[in-house]
Structure formats: structure tokens, C-alpha cells
Amino acid sequence: MRSVIEESAFIRGRFVTDFEQQFAAAIGVRRCVSCANGTDALYIAMRALGLGPGDEVITTAHSWISTSETITQAGGSVVFADTDQKTFTIDPVSIESKLSNRTVGIIPVHLYGQPADMEPILDIARKRGLWVIEDCAQAHLAEYRGRKVGSMGVMADILVLSGQEPGCDGRCRVPGDQR
């Protein structure tokens, strides 16, 4: 940390590159791209996936506002699924009931260090040709059936620092390998 401060290397540079490489390796993905904050990470991911007017994205209301806000900001419509009473994450059964011909993606939120039930979520996505962006802001390095959260969807938003000082949120967008 001392070197970062002494070199005023807060944005990009070798320290950030090293962090991105190490974090990608820690969760088992090819790449990690740091962003200014989680809102940006989610927005960039959805814009990169082509989210636009008329598109619906299913997510949970049991999350920080950025999860649903960025769907709208990127041009899509939010569809809220119910929360699983045992895990407090998105309920895959509820996702099924919310699907429409306008649904293009699902954003499960891994919460309180606890992963969403990804197997049925990914099955739904595969069957319907949907993308999955994992919101891992409150569960970095958590595991689901031997895989780190953030490595199963097409992309993920991961909080890597607490405290969230202005301009120093420490979020990443990581391309996953949605299988």
C-alpha cells in the first residue's frame, strides 16, 4: 500500500494490473477488469451484452439499488423475482414464472456471503438463450458447488474492498464462462 501511495498510483498502472490478474486467478476466470464502482460494472456489462429498450432482465429486489437501477439505466426493464426464504437470494422457481418473450437476462445476487442457487438459474438461461450476470458485491470468494461466485455467468460484479470510500469502491467486472 505504501508504494501505491508514494507513487500516486491509484488509477490503472502496475498495481491495478497485478490486482486484476491475481483476483482473476483467485476466482478462476481468465480476466478481471476493475471499474470505478459497482454501478459502472453492472452498467458496462449490460451495455456490452446489448441490453436495450423492450428487453427485460429478471433480478431480485433484495439487493442494493444498483442492481435494478442499472437495468433501467442501460435501457431495459426490471422484472423482480421472489426471494428464497432459506437463502435470501433469488428464487429459481420464481424466475421461471417471470419469463416472457422479452426476457434477455438474469442477474442473481449472491448475498451475505451466500451464493444464489446457480445450477437451476444457469439451466433456465441455457434453455432460453439468456445471459447471466452475477452480482457478487456481498459474497466475493464464496463458493457454489466447488466454483467461486463470479465464475459461472457471462460476467460478474464483485466488491473487493469494504468501506467504499468515494472514488475508491474497488469493484470489478469479470468475464465468466456461462456454461
Side-chain angles (χ1 to χ4, degrees), residues 115 117 119-120 143-147:
D117 191 1
E119 186 174 319
E143 291 189 10
Y144 176 82
R145 298 186 180 176
R147 293 186 70 186

Side-chain angles (χ1 to χ4, degrees), residues 42 59-68 88 109 111 135 137-138:
L42 288 168
T59 193
T60 178
H62 195 157
S63 180
W64 176 248
I65 188 67
S66 293
T67 309
S68 57
F88 300 104
V109 178
L111 201 53
D135 186 335
Q138 294 186 41

Side-chain angles (χ1 to χ4, degrees), residues 37-76:
N37 56 63
T39 304
D40 287 353
L42 288 168
Y43 175 77
I44 291 166
M46 283 184 266
R47 293 297 294 160
L49 292 167
L51 182 67
D55 294 338
E56 294 179 349
V57 179
I58 300 172
T59 193
T60 178
H62 195 157
S63 180
W64 176 248
I65 188 67
S66 293
T67 309
S68 57
E69 171 207 12
T70 53
I71 295 168
T72 304
Q73 183 186 23

Side-chain angles (χ1 to χ4, degrees), residues 56-63 67-68 71 78-99 103 105-112 114-122 124 130-135 144:
E56 294 179 349
V57 179
I58 300 172
T59 193
T60 178
H62 195 157
S63 180
T67 309
S68 57
I71 295 168
V78 179
V79 176
F80 288 120
D82 289 333
T83 301
D84 181 286
Q85 291 184 15
K86 293 178 187 168
T87 64
F88 300 104
T89 61
I90 196 166
D91 182 353
V93 173
S94 180
I95 292 171
E96 289 272 13
S97 72
K98 303 294 182 178
L99 292 167
T103 305
I106 304 168
I107 302 179
V109 178
H110 307 296
L111 201 53
Y112 311 126
Q114 188 161 278
D117 191 1
M118 290 303 291
E119 186 174 319
I121 294 169
L122 292 169
I124 293 165
L130 309 175
W131 46 255
V132 174
I133 298 173
E134 295 176 77
D135 186 335
Y144 176 82

Side-chain angles (χ1 to χ4, degrees), residues 127-162:
K127 289 175 189 169
R128 296 289 300 252
L130 309 175
W131 46 255
V132 174
I133 298 173
E134 295 176 77
D135 186 335
C136 310
Q138 294 186 41
H140 65 287
L141 300 177
E143 291 189 10
Y144 176 82
R145 298 186 180 176
R147 293 186 70 186
K148 298 279 194 241
V149 297
S151 68
M152 295 169 271
V154 68
M155 290 187 203
D157 162 40
I158 301 171
L159 172 65
V160 292
L161 297 174
S162 61

Side-chain angles (χ1 to χ4, degrees), residues 1-10 15:
M1 192 53 128
R2 181 184 196 117
S3 295
V4 172
I5 294 168
E6 287 174 351
E7 296 177 32
S8 294
F10 304 108
F15 298 109

